[in-house]
Amino acid sequence: DNLYYNYLNDLEQINITGSGNNSLTLDEIDVFLMTDADNELYIIGDTGDSLTATGTWTQAVGGSDLVYGDYNSYTKLFMGEFEITINVDTDITLV
């Protein structure tokens, strides 16, 4: 399905938990257009869920958050000037 960015903006998280193994595919344009000025997105999921982050992302220092739990961070420079970050739940497989 196509995503219409004018409907999704200022997002802080996408939660793909639920029944079964769920998957999500994002690229840097998706992350840049759907996040706020911080350009940071948390992906929450369960064991068996997967995220495909297209392009080349650099693993950064992950962490733990009271709201989002443990996560691995990946960054990318978008358009040569905007750093974008995805924080991926450690239960999710990055493909």
Side-chain angles (χ1 to χ4, degrees):
D1 292 335
N2 292 332
L3 204 86
Y4 295 94
Y5 298 108
N6 55 335
Y7 294 117
L8 298 174
N9 55 23
D10 292 340
L11 291 181
E12 293 182 9
Q13 71 166 310
I14 296 176
N15 189 327
I16 60 172
T17 61
S19 62
N21 297 333
N22 301 298
S23 63
L24 176 66
T25 300
L26 294 172
D27 64 20
E28 67 268 16
I29 296 171
D30 296 327
V31 177
F32 182 75
L33 292 176
M34 71 174 61
T35 56
D36 60 14
D38 291 335
N39 299 320
E40 186 171 20
L41 184 64
Y42 287 84
I43 311 299
I44 312 303
D46 296 321
T47 300
D49 293 340
S50 64
L51 170 67
T52 301
T54 62
T56 303
W57 293 78
T58 302
Q59 186 162 5
V61 176
S64 184
D65 184 273
L66 291 175
V67 174
Y68 301 115
D70 295 334
Y71 58 87
N72 295 314
S73 295
Y74 302 89
T75 62
K76 187 169 194 163
L77 196 60
F78 179 67
M79 296 177 52
E81 82 180 91
F82 301 102
E83 183 175 87
I84 55 177
T85 303
I86 51 175
N87 299 305
V88 182
D89 189 317
T90 55
D91 290 332
I92 297 174
T93 302
L94 189 65
V95 283

